[in-house]
Amino acid sequence: MTGAPFQLCFDGSDSAAHAIREAAAITGGGRALVVHAWLPPSAVMLQGRALEPSHPLAAAVDEFDSAAREAAERVAARGVELAGEAGFDAEPLAIQAPDGVWKPLVQIAEEREVRAVIVGSHGLSRVKSALLGSVSREVANHCKRPVIVVPP
């Protein structure tokens, strides 16, 4: 298939799987990029500080990040399976998000010039959304590509 792909944001949740199925119903399928943005444990454990390779914790932190990368790749691959079942010809992309999940989602959409970004909404209350943030809201507010937010 030719043309720009759709970007399917997938975090492994039921809500994200629902968004993929709804996106297929709306768009009729086509090329897609299933993007899973993941937070490396080192970004949390070290609050963005880099460790010198000689630091005693450097190997352990690398191991945590490696395990998280592998888990992220599995989530993206699962998203591709779901997308394929729904009618998309999809490829996976697991990308680090040390500064917020929405940022790399927007960056990839712009770089790849996707047709549209499809993202699920977890249906958080206003209070929870204010405290936890809303990836779908931030993507919709910052992305220059069309964004479809699919409610649960």
Side-chain angles (χ1 to χ4, degrees):
M1 294 184 173
T2 59
F6 291 102
Q7 178 173 316
L8 307 174
C9 303
F10 186 68
D11 64 3
S13 68
D14 290 341
S15 157
H18 171 70
I20 288 174
R21 290 188 297 274
E22 289 297 310
I26 293 167
T27 66
R31 284 186 56 231
L33 179 64
V34 175
V35 182
H36 175 65
W38 61 282
L39 179 66
S42 61
V44 175
M45 293 186 304
L46 304 173
Q47 298 177 354
R49 294 184 183 100
L51 291 180
E52 294 295 321
S54 62
H55 191 283
L57 293 178
V61 169
D62 286 345
E63 194 171 320
F64 279 124
D65 282 353
S66 179
R69 175 179 287 108
E70 290 172 12
E73 290 169 353
R74 286 191 300 273
V75 170
R78 176 64 182 138
V80 167
E81 289 174 15
L82 293 171
E85 292 168 6
F88 286 103
D89 177 18
E91 65 179 276
L93 176 62
I95 185 165
Q96 283 191 14
D99 298 320
V101 169
W102 68 268
K103 291 178 182 180
L105 295 176
V106 169
Q107 180 182 354
I108 291 298
E110 302 300 336
E111 288 174 359
R112 302 282 182 106
E113 297 181 346
V114 300
R115 290 176 65 184
V117 177
I118 292 96
V119 60
S121 166
H122 285 283
L124 299 176
S125 70
R126 286 187 178 185
V127 173
K128 284 184 180 178
S129 182
L131 293 173
L132 301 175
S134 168
V135 171
S136 58
R137 180 186 66 232
E138 294 300 327
V139 170
N141 286 338
H142 292 92
C143 193
K144 293 179 179 72
R145 313 301 300 175
V147 177
I148 300 170
V149 178
V150 180

